[in-house]
Amino acid sequence: MEARTRWTAAIFLFIALDAASLQIRGALLPRFESSFDVSAGLLGLVAPAGTVGFVLAVLVVGFTAGRVTIERTILASVAAASVLLGAMALAPIYALFLAALFCHGLSLGAVRGLDRVVLSHLYPTRRGRVFTLHSLAWAIGAVSGPALAAFVVWFTDWRVAFGLLAVGFLPVLGLVSGLDVPSGIENEQPISRAALSELARTPAIVAMTAGLLLVGGIEGAIFTWLPYYAGESLPGALAPLALSAYLLAYVPGRLTYTALSERVDYRLLTLAIALAAIPAMYLAFVVVSGYALLASVFVLGLFMSGQFPLISAIGVEATPEYSGPANAIGTSATYVGIAVVPAVMGPVIDVYAIGTAMLLPVVLSGGVALVLGALWLAR
């Protein structure tokens, strides 16, 4: 029981710090621009620098989860994440900052390729609940990241924010040190090429991959462009509050879905909130503007907050012996969507306007509902 508690606390603390380090980058972009004297175009490299390394590590570690020494991999990766945050804080030139960011993404991805695997074996009969709590920890970290950036910048240099995050990873090392892997994780199967091909054809895995690719695209669009869109109808100083309102809704939303996941079938619950998200997104990005936008994106956040953890649980539940590869596929699909959709929206904004581009996440939300509806009908 003590070991399970320490593993859970370590993973939840790690995921909160992971989210904070992701969301803090956007908040500090103007500081990077002035400190490193780079153009806005070069600032765009921040997102892929962190994401590419992350996705590579998730895939490699996730697909070898049955072969790697899990506790050693997590310890080494957490230590590297802390050191690399320190390197980002001290980087004298932009190229070194991006290199450290890429390697930091690798270290985060190595743990993210294993964290849900560990939780899956710690809580084999409560995956929906624990995956939703895991995502709740991410939401708390995501809200905290921009707040930390604002606090640090108000008083001192932006580099201090990365130093504080580096120190934050140290308790994770203390929690994991000396722990054995959870009971049952030895049943995690190394996946062969034939088994991977079969896994990729499993209906639940196909639905999870397609659904999370679309969900990631929606979240990427919101994380990147919502403050810009809000600036069209809100004072510039208040526009970032739209993203804060959206992310804040993830906390009560994921608490609610944690409770519901033990009472309602994952597939039905996820389909219901995906359907509810469509009118909520249309209201937020088409109908309302100004201060009403803040309330509407909070409501939207309530419905979006449960989609990633519950869809992930559907895939892992279907193939528990391959939870590592299933987790890798789902997490990678999400981050591909996060990286690609905001980039696609950029040219649309240049040619048309931000209002037109914000129709894309509305369309994607309909796609999520179609995927989950097909899965429900095929059950």
Side-chain angles (χ1 to χ4, degrees):
M1 182 63 71
E2 180 186 352
R4 184 167 77 166
T5 301
R6 284 176 59 187
W7 269 117
T8 306
I11 290 172
F12 282 17
L13 177 56
F14 174 86
I15 194 67
L17 291 165
D18 171 30
S21 64
L22 170 66
Q23 297 294 344
I24 204 171
R25 299 170 198 165
L28 292 175
L29 278 181
R31 305 291 171 172
F32 302 158
E33 184 177 28
S34 58
S35 293
F36 297 117
D37 192 24
V38 294
S39 66
L42 287 174
L43 284 177
L45 295 176
V46 168
T51 303
V52 170
F54 180 91
V55 171
L56 285 173
V58 166
L59 287 172
V60 171
V61 174
F63 283 122
T64 58
R67 298 184 179 94
V68 300
T69 305
I70 288 177
E71 66 275 22
R72 291 180 184 175
T73 302
I74 291 177
L75 277 171
S77 300
V78 172
S82 179
V83 170
L84 289 162
L85 279 167
M88 291 160 65
L90 298 173
I93 60 174
Y94 191 53
L96 290 177
F97 177 83
L98 290 179
L101 179 57
F102 173 81
C103 295
H104 180 64
L106 286 172
S107 64
L108 294 179
V111 181
R112 292 297 305 275
L114 295 171
D115 58 353
R116 287 174 181 262
V117 179
V118 174
L119 291 175
S120 177
H121 290 280
L122 284 172
Y123 303 93
T125 63
R126 307 174 76 185
R127 290 189 180 96
R129 175 181 174 84
V130 76
F131 281 11
T132 309
L133 285 172
H134 176 271
S135 295
L136 172 62
W138 184 95
I140 293 171
V143 173
S144 302
L148 174 63
F151 178 80
V152 168
V153 168
W154 183 266
F155 290 102
T156 184
D157 190 85
W158 63 267
R159 297 175 185 270
V160 174
F162 286 96
L164 292 174
L165 285 174
V167 173
F169 278 94
L170 298 180
V172 180
L173 289 174
L175 286 167
V176 175
S177 296
L179 286 180
D180 293 326
V181 294
S183 175
I185 209 165
E186 64 276 2
N187 297 324
E188 187 73 27
Q189 297 295 311
I191 193 164
S192 64
R193 185 175 300 177
L196 177 59
S197 177
E198 183 179 349
L199 181 70
R201 294 193 301 269
T202 304
I205 296 296
V206 172
M208 178 193 73
T209 305
L212 289 180
L213 183 65
L214 295 170
V215 168
I218 294 167
E219 292 192 323
I222 293 171
F223 294 161
T224 304
W225 293 112
L226 179 56
Y228 188 98
Y229 174 70
E232 297 287 300
S233 59
L234 284 170
L238 295 180
L241 291 179
L243 182 56
S244 298
Y246 175 81
L247 288 171
L248 185 62
Y250 273 42
V251 177
R254 285 178 170 169
L255 279 171
T256 301
Y257 301 129
T258 297
L260 289 176
S261 66
E262 295 193 323
R263 297 173 175 84
V264 182
D265 183 277
Y266 301 161
R267 302 183 188 202
L268 180 59
L269 177 58
T270 313
L271 175 59
I273 61 176
L275 289 170
I278 299 173
M281 199 170 300
Y282 184 83
L283 179 69
F285 299 150
V286 178
V287 178
V288 305
S289 60
Y291 292 99
L293 178 65
L294 299 176
S296 64
V297 295
F298 181 85
V299 173
L300 174 61
L302 292 175
F303 295 125
M304 287 299 303
S305 63
Q307 295 189 32
F308 172 75
L310 291 172
I311 294 174
S312 298
I314 289 171
V316 174
E317 190 80 16
T319 57
E321 72 278 17
Y322 293 124
S323 59
N327 175 60
I329 292 170
T331 302
S332 299
T334 304
Y335 276 80
V336 168
I338 287 174
V340 170
V341 171
V344 170
M345 291 172 67
V348 176
I349 294 169
D350 285 338
V351 175
Y352 299 101
I354 181 65
T356 302
M358 293 305 285
L359 291 173
L360 181 55
V362 179
V363 174
L364 295 180
S365 68
V368 176
L370 286 174
V371 168
L372 294 172
L375 183 63
W376 174 253
L377 292 174
R379 70 193 187 281

